[in-house]
Amino acid sequence: MEGKLVERLEAAVARLEVLAAGGGISARGLPDSGGHDMSSDPSIVAFEDLMDQFAAKVSGAAEKIGGQVLDVSKLLLEAFSVEKKLLMEIKQTQKPDMAGLAEFLKPLNEVIMKVNSMAEARGSEFINHFKSAAESLSALAWIAYTGKDCGMSMPIAHVEESWQAAEFYNNKVLVEYKTKDPNHVEWAKALKELYLPGLRGYVKSHYPLGPVWNASGKKVSAAPSKAPPSGAPAPPCPPPASHFTSEPSKASSSQPKQGMSAVFQELSSGNVTAGLRKVTDDMKAKNRTDRTGVVSTGEKQTSSTPSTTTPTIKKVAPPKLELQMGRKWAVENHIGNKNLVIDDCDAKQSVYVFGCKDSVLQIQGKVNNITLDKCTKMGVLFKDVVAAFEIVNCNGVEAQCQGSAPTISVDNTSGAQLYLSKDSLEAAITTAKSIDINVLVPGATSDADWAEHPLPQQYIHVYKNGQFETSPVSHSGA
């Protein structure tokens, strides 16, 4: 303890010497505020310790791997460096409005968007590394917390929730490289430690209620928009929304309800016949002169001739994410949507996922039942279920339970990865007409690797003592 204190004092003295030699410029390249060196502030020193202790491990593992994993790791560490600079500037800046806050956080957003662009690219063998880094960097957005009405969770909870989303892909890295390359396993473990306990512990110790702005500091305002000169062409369409915006984000489950709920609302209004046309006598089928019941030869030939000009177009149902009748969440026909979220749910509601492909759904609360039906390459991240989690008629799906699930059922499915938490190890798993079902359970310690258990898909039935005895087939090598 005394040794660490001496090291910090020596580091502070060294920074003061650099400050004196630099003529009023701090060791971190920021202007000195009233003779006070921001880099010697306890919260800044603690953030540097966080980077030295945890971020250095990510960098070291990435150096061993090299290539694109090293590139995304450098961007990740760059984002942490930018966050440190922002923390130093916060101590000299007044609390801005929402537009000013978006402008203030722009440097951090630019780095995060670079990582997101790597995660959205296709064809890389390290896509799970990219997605782990991209999802985890949203934890740095705790710095944007301005109060309970800002639309964000408290800083500590925000860091934990952000890592839960990233852990879905981080676990894929652990499983894929468990027996292939220990350097990738080291990288995945170091990434988790950077956030838990690293960043979470830092926020808990220094900013549990959010960043502390300087009431007498400088002001931050949004960048003024430039009007185009007269006669100039219209500006291009705006770019996609950035990670930080001046408008509070709205949860997916809080969008206006559509579908059957809108139909029942219309029925309950009482004016259900408005807009309907009146059928007159001449419009009735029995009174129409153009329909005799006799089919002519020309009509037969026309109907039997195959069409060569109009191709058959398969109708695709629109995607859906809505709460029906207040009891059932319907998630249907989503393709390539990695950001499906249900956060406003309770233990009396069920979730039905149908016809989704290459998408990821997060269920942030306890529900009664979850069913996946006819989904392909679908990922589901959920906390607790009261009754059961069911997979039916699916291909290549993955599910991670972070809480408890008494029953898990897999029926007529080809390929399923089930990640269980310590609270769900006692779940009863039933399978029928399914192949390639693997269950992964946590190791004995927090540092241990996930243990993978393939469920048997072949059985032997032997008639003994008047009845058949069934047992899984075991294969033994020579």
Side-chain angles (χ1 to χ4, degrees), residues 284-445:
K284 296 179 181 179
K286 66 180 182 178
N287 298 328
R288 292 186 60 171
T289 60
D290 57 341
R291 297 189 179 181
T292 63
V294 178
V295 181
S296 64
T297 307
E299 289 177 345
K300 281 185 177 181
Q301 293 176 351
T302 303
S303 60
S304 61
T305 303
S307 173
T308 58
T309 58
T310 306
T312 303
I313 300 176
K314 184 178 180 181
K315 185 177 180 181
V316 179
K320 180 190 300 183
L321 173 56
E322 64 184 18
L323 179 61
Q324 298 177 346
M325 302 293 291
R327 300 298 297 270
K328 174 183 175 182
W329 283 99
V331 185
E332 300 179 2
N333 306 313
H334 287 272
I335 299 177
N337 192 342
K338 309 290 187 180
N339 301 309
L340 297 171
V341 179
I342 297 177
D343 56 0
D344 186 14
C345 53
D346 59 52
K348 296 181 180 180
Q349 297 172 347
S350 62
V351 179
Y352 180 69
V353 186
F354 175 82
C356 294
K357 181 178 180 180
D358 195 25
S359 300
V360 177
L361 170 65
Q362 298 183 47
I363 304 173
Q364 300 176 348
K366 178 184 287 187
V367 294
N368 182 269
N369 184 76
I370 303 173
T371 301
L372 268 66
D373 188 4
K374 293 185 179 179
C375 295
T376 302
K377 295 183 179 179
M378 182 70 188
V380 177
L381 182 68
F382 65 95
K383 290 189 176 180
D384 301 284
V385 291
V386 177
F389 176 79
E390 301 173 295
I391 302 175
V392 184
N393 305 320
C394 294
N395 292 299
V397 297
E398 297 187 7
Q400 180 173 354
C401 176
Q402 297 177 326
S404 60
T407 303
I408 298 176
S409 174
V410 184
D411 187 14
N412 195 28
T413 293
S414 175
Q417 295 268 15
L418 305 175
Y419 296 85
L420 302 183
S421 65
K422 291 184 178 179
D423 295 332
S424 59
L425 293 180
E426 297 181 359
I429 303 176
T430 61
T431 62
K433 297 186 292 184
S434 301
I435 60 173
D436 297 333
I437 310 300
N438 296 318
V439 181
L440 295 96
V441 299
T445 63

Side-chain angles (χ1 to χ4, degrees), residues 175-323:
V175 173
E176 180 180 358
Y177 291 94
K178 179 180 178 181
T179 58
K180 292 169 56 177
D181 191 339
N183 293 329
H184 291 267
V185 175
E186 179 185 351
W187 182 90
K189 290 182 177 180
L191 183 65
K192 180 177 182 178
E193 292 176 357
L194 176 60
Y195 295 95
L196 305 179
L199 184 61
R200 179 184 61 184
Y202 171 80
V203 173
K204 183 177 181 180
S205 299
H206 297 276
Y207 299 104
L209 301 178
V212 181
W213 300 83
N214 189 342
S216 59
K218 61 184 179 181
K219 294 183 178 180
V220 176
S221 57
S225 58
K226 297 181 180 179
S230 59
C237 297
S242 63
H243 193 80
F244 302 101
T245 62
S246 57
E247 295 294 333
S249 60
K250 296 181 180 179
S252 302
S253 58
S254 62
Q255 298 298 325
K257 305 299 184 292
Q258 301 177 354
M260 291 304 298
S261 59
V263 173
F264 283 105
Q265 182 178 0
E266 185 72 17
L267 292 174
S268 62
S269 65
N271 191 20
V272 296
T273 60
L276 298 180
R277 294 175 58 189
K278 181 176 179 60
V279 180
T280 60
D281 289 339
D282 62 322
M283 296 172 63
K284 296 179 181 179
K286 66 180 182 178
N287 298 328
R288 292 186 60 171
T289 60
D290 57 341
R291 297 189 179 181
T292 63
V294 178
V295 181
S296 64
T297 307
E299 289 177 345
K300 281 185 177 181
Q301 293 176 351
T302 303
S303 60
S304 61
T305 303
S307 173
T308 58
T309 58
T310 306
T312 303
I313 300 176
K314 184 178 180 181
K315 185 177 180 181
V316 179
K320 180 190 300 183
L321 173 56
E322 64 184 18
L323 179 61

